[in-house]
């Protein structure tokens, strides 16, 4: 825990409040037969000595957190003062890169998580009611989306929605629009990313809830049937309460996983329409100039966001644990 969790987090925190040292510049006077000229160059030895003396860099406190590339406090205050309403304010925030990434991340998280729980629960109920000879085949078939690598799965769907793919071509034929492209629309891109998220995550929900159904007390279910409970009433008052600890567990895991969405954005090549906090970090670390301090700040903000999301679930779990204890 200390080696692989505490120390890396501490390292990221330290990096987020430091920035690389500025180069030490010196002026050099060059004289020739036609006069003297002054040029500015970097003092290699002084710069190297400064970096050796302070390897973390220059301490800047929370400046990186508040700059335009992250929380953009000054810009947010200005946007709020110039906005005519909450809708205009939220639309203006979309022009700031961090809030644009946060907007898609939250939309993806709060859409995919409940949908994958619902679909996973429905699949589990359906498979559990089938003949045992069919269950093995359907369980294997239902787990395929989870077995496939996220990047490969997103690439497959990306090719399918291409104008030459089966889904893209079908939509062009249905709407009689040869120029229709799912990739050209921000809204449709978000929809396809959410569809992929549900498709990839629902098998995890299914297999956990299906395992929970195997522990369902049959005497309680039979008592409900004898009392005249309908199928829906049995599910609502017997099955769901029995599975609630597992539903909480799945929600806990998927909230963390969905908040860190990254692979579908790379697979769909959709950075022009949708970015996430994880993609934000990846973008800072890629290219010729690695912005380590910016990436560290984004990482800390992501950790804080995940903690806020998980707080209600963790508090409820803690209360249930104490009540049972």
């Amino acid at each position: 825990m200390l080696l692989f969790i505490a120390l890396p987090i501490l390292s990221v925190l330290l990096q987020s409040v430091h920035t690389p040292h500025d180069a030490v510049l010196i002026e050099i006077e060059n004289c020739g037969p036609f006069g003297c000229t002054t040029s500015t160059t970097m003092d290699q030895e002084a710069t190297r000595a400064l970096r050796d003396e302070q390897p973390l860099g220059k301490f800047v406190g929370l400046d990186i957190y508040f700059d335009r590339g992250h929380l953009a406090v000054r810009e947010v205050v200005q946007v709020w003062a110039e906005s005519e309403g909450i809708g205009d304010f939220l639309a203006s925030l979309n022009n700031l890169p961090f809030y644009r990434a946060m907007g898609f991340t939250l939309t993806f998280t709060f859409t995919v998580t409940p949908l994958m729980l619902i679909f996973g629960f429905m699949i589990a109920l359906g498979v559990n009611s089938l003949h045992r000879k069919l269950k093995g085949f359907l369980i294997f078939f239902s787990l395929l989306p989870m077995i496939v690598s996220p990047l490969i799965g997103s690439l497959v769907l990306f090719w399918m929605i291409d104008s030459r793919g089966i889904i893209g071509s079908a939509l062009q034929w249905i709407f009689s629009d040869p120029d229709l492209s799912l990739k050209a629309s921000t809204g449709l891109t978000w929809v396809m990313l959410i569809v992929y998220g549900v498709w990839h995550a629902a098998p995890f929900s299914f297999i956990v809830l299906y395992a929970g159904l195997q522990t369902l007390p049959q005497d309680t279910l039979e008592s409900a049937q004898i009392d005249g409970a309908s199928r829906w009433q049995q599910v609502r008052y017997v099955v769901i309460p029995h599975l609630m600890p597992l539903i909480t567990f799945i929600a806990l895991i998927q909230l963390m996983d969905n908040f860190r969405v990254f692979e579908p954005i790379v697979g769909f090549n959709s950075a022009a329409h949708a970015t996430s906090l994880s993609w934000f970090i990846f973008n800072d670390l890629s290219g010729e100039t690695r912005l380590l301090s910016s990436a560290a700040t984004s990482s800390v903000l992501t950790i804080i966001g995940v903690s806020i999301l998980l707080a209600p679930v963790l508090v409820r779990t803690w209360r249930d644990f104490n009540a049972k204890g």
Side-chain angles (χ1 to χ4, degrees), residues 81 144 212 280 287:
L144 285 178
F280 206 64

Side-chain angles (χ1 to χ4, degrees), residues 102-174:
M102 177 66 76
F104 172 76
T105 301
L106 292 177
T107 302
F108 185 89
T109 300
F110 288 115
T111 305
V112 171
T113 302
L115 287 178
M116 59 83 63
L117 278 169
I118 293 172
F119 280 106
F121 180 63
M122 293 172 60
I123 297 171
L125 287 178
V127 173
N128 193 55
S129 63
L130 293 175
H131 191 276
R132 62 183 181 85
K133 292 185 178 180
L134 297 176
K135 289 182 180 180
F137 171 76
L138 289 178
I139 290 174
F140 171 77
F141 184 77
S142 300
L143 291 178
L144 285 178
M146 189 171 64
I147 296 173
V148 176
S149 169
L151 184 58
I152 299 300
S154 59
L155 280 173
V156 170
L157 186 57
F158 178 76
W159 294 329
M160 292 174 67
I161 66 173
D162 187 80
S163 59
R164 296 167 294 178
I166 183 172
I167 297 179
S169 300
L171 290 176
Q172 289 179 352
W173 178 77
I174 292 173

Side-chain angles (χ1 to χ4, degrees), residues 75-93:
E75 288 78 4
V76 170
V77 173
Q78 182 179 356
V79 168
W80 175 258
E82 297 175 354
S83 299
E84 299 179 356
I86 188 65
D88 185 37
F89 173 69
L90 294 176
S92 299
L93 280 184

Side-chain angles (χ1 to χ4, degrees), residues 219-293:
D219 53 348
T220 306
L221 196 60
E222 291 173 359
S223 298
Q225 294 173 352
I226 294 173
D227 291 338
S230 64
R231 176 66 173 170
W232 163 245
Q233 290 173 329
Q234 295 174 34
V235 171
R236 180 179 178 183
Y237 296 107
V238 179
V239 177
I240 293 181
H242 177 75
L243 296 178
M244 189 54 65
L246 291 178
I247 293 175
T248 303
F249 164 74
I250 297 171
L252 190 71
I253 297 298
Q254 289 302 315
L255 280 173
M256 291 188 293
D257 197 35
N258 293 331
F259 197 79
R260 300 192 302 265
V261 55
F262 172 70
E263 291 91 346
I265 296 175
V266 176
F268 276 71
N269 194 23
S270 60
H273 300 287
T275 57
S276 67
L277 295 181
S278 295
W279 183 90
F280 206 64
I281 299 170
F282 168 78
N283 188 57
D284 283 340
L285 294 176
S286 60
E288 296 181 0
T289 304
R290 296 190 302 166
L291 305 177
L292 298 180
S293 299

Side-chain angles (χ1 to χ4, degrees), residues 200-213:
H200 179 73
F204 173 73
S205 174
F206 151 67
I207 199 62
V208 175
L209 295 178
Y210 177 77
L213 288 175

